[in-house]
Amino acid sequence: MRARAAVLLLAVGTMCMLMSGCESSQPAKKARTTTTTAATREASAPSVPDSPDSEKPLPGPGQNHRAVAFRKWGLEPLPAPPTPPQAKPVKLALGSVPVIRDIPVKDKVVFLTFDDGAEKDPEFLRMMRELRVPFTMFLTDAAIRNGYPYFKPLQSLGNSIQNHTLTHPDLLTLSYPAQVNEICGQQRRLNEEYATSPRLFRPPYGNWNEDTRAAAKTCGIEAIVLWRETMQIANMRYQRGDGKLHPGDIILAHFRGPEELRGTTLTEMTLTMLRRIQEQGFTVARLDDYL
């Protein structure tokens, strides 16, 4: 009986070798263990978050999500802005420092800018995270120094931080060296807090002279940016006599709260501004994509 069993076992082994289909169960077990260990190691590896100081825009929401987000805030969705032009309509070169009030385009787009930084409304932050409406921040250190972190999430959405002086003085009252201190000092401060070197400068109150332009050039600024419209509490103030938006207009708003807006919040004022833009058939584009 034992001899017959031995013969049978030898026959099975020979057949396996001829068919090349039998492998030891032990190597297979090791392979499975190795695979499981690798998968566990990959799953447990820490993710690397995006830098909060990056000015690269985060991926935007899909169209359906975007429509839902706008309606949540009581708005109809703004049209998607056109693809940014390959050649920027305004070409900046270090040393020229042009003064810009609008961008020469034909598309019905406008550009939002928010100044100062005194109001730090958490609801505004939530709204902009959901709507992804682009805008540019011109920040003053005296207004933001009690809350530098507030602006970092807005920056991480792709909204650039630009220069609006250290203390918000009327530059027409300052000497050239004093203007250099205001502009270069804010360049350094913004670089320290947000890892950015602003290209654009907005003089407080829109007041500037040739000393301002020279000081801006000394501090590495490429353009002085003014505006065509100013958002008030419920309506816009227009510079042109026809009282309407034009393609490429730059709109000025402020980080202001209920005390300055007669009980209206920064978020409510911004929603009203977006409605005024939509009523005239415009949408909002990113200023940095055009200059």
Side-chain angles (χ1 to χ4, degrees), residues 40-67:
T40 302
R41 186 164 54 247
E42 182 178 353
S44 62
S47 60
V48 180
D50 292 333
S51 168
D53 296 330
S54 172
E55 292 188 7
K56 182 178 179 181
L58 298 177
Q63 289 301 314
N64 290 339
H65 179 79
R66 189 169 183 269

Side-chain angles (χ1 to χ4, degrees), residues 4-291:
R4 185 177 301 172
V7 171
L8 181 59
L9 182 59
L10 179 62
V12 171
T14 303
M15 185 177 297
C16 285
M17 293 176 64
L18 292 173
M19 294 176 66
S20 301
C22 296
E23 295 181 357
S24 168
S25 61
Q26 187 62 28
K29 185 176 181 181
K30 287 182 178 179
R32 284 195 297 271
T33 302
T34 302
T35 302
T36 302
T37 302
T40 302
R41 186 164 54 247
E42 182 178 353
S44 62
S47 60
V48 180
D50 292 333
S51 168
D53 296 330
S54 172
E55 292 188 7
K56 182 178 179 181
L58 298 177
Q63 289 301 314
N64 290 339
H65 179 79
R66 189 169 183 269
V68 170
F70 269 81
R71 291 184 178 119
K72 170 186 172 181
W73 292 95
L75 299 170
E76 286 300 311
L78 289 171
T83 301
Q86 291 185 349
K88 293 186 177 183
V90 179
K91 301 184 186 301
L92 301 182
L94 188 61
S96 60
V97 195
V99 178
I100 297 168
R101 291 175 174 82
D102 51 48
I103 306 297
V105 296
K106 295 181 179 179
D107 294 316
K108 295 191 74 173
V109 298
V110 293
F111 305 95
L112 301 186
T113 62
F114 285 80
D115 279 13
D116 302 344
E119 180 68 10
K120 302 165 185 69
D121 181 358
E123 190 176 23
F124 177 82
L125 180 56
R126 288 193 294 271
M127 179 179 68
M128 287 308 192
R129 276 175 171 161
E130 295 179 12
L131 299 185
R132 301 295 178 95
V133 175
F135 61 94
T136 303
M137 296 173 276
F138 288 89
L139 300 182
T140 295
D141 189 66
I144 67 174
R145 66 178 55 149
N146 65 344
Y148 290 128
Y150 175 84
F151 302 94
K152 291 184 179 181
L154 296 171
Q155 182 188 27
S156 72
L157 293 172
N159 304 305
S160 71
I161 291 175
Q162 306 294 345
N163 192 321
H164 196 42
T165 71
L166 281 170
T167 66
H168 206 275
D170 181 349
L171 296 179
L172 296 180
T173 67
L174 299 185
S175 65
Y176 169 75
Q179 293 197 42
V180 169
N181 180 67
E182 283 286 339
I183 300 171
C184 289
Q186 182 66 341
Q187 288 288 95
R188 290 189 294 270
R189 191 64 52 83
L190 294 176
N191 189 273
E192 291 168 359
E193 296 296 331
Y194 304 106
T196 185
S197 297
R199 301 182 304 121
L200 310 177
F201 172 68
R202 173 167 287 163
Y205 316 107
N207 291 344
W208 65 278
N209 54 25
E210 287 305 318
D211 278 348
T212 309
R213 196 197 298 262
K217 177 180 176 180
T218 296
C219 300
I221 295 295
E222 297 179 17
I224 293 172
V225 177
L226 301 180
W227 58 88
R228 283 294 184 184
E229 288 83 29
T230 305
M231 183 61 197
Q232 306 300 305
I233 298 172
N235 292 292
M236 290 189 191
R237 180 179 298 163
Y238 299 88
Q239 291 182 351
R240 297 185 182 91
D242 59 6
K244 62 182 182 180
L245 297 172
H246 291 251
D249 278 0
I250 297 171
I251 300 174
L252 166 64
H254 291 85
F255 286 100
R256 289 177 175 165
E259 290 186 4
E260 294 180 287
L261 298 177
R262 299 179 186 174
T264 300
T265 67
L266 170 63
T267 302
E268 291 166 342
M269 182 271 291
T270 303
L271 289 170
T272 300
M273 177 169 58
L274 293 175
R275 292 189 187 99
R276 299 293 175 263
I277 291 169
Q278 187 178 52
E279 288 167 359
Q280 298 187 49
F282 283 78
T283 192
V284 180
R286 192 182 311 280
L287 182 62
D288 300 70
D289 291 336
Y290 288 75
L291 55 75

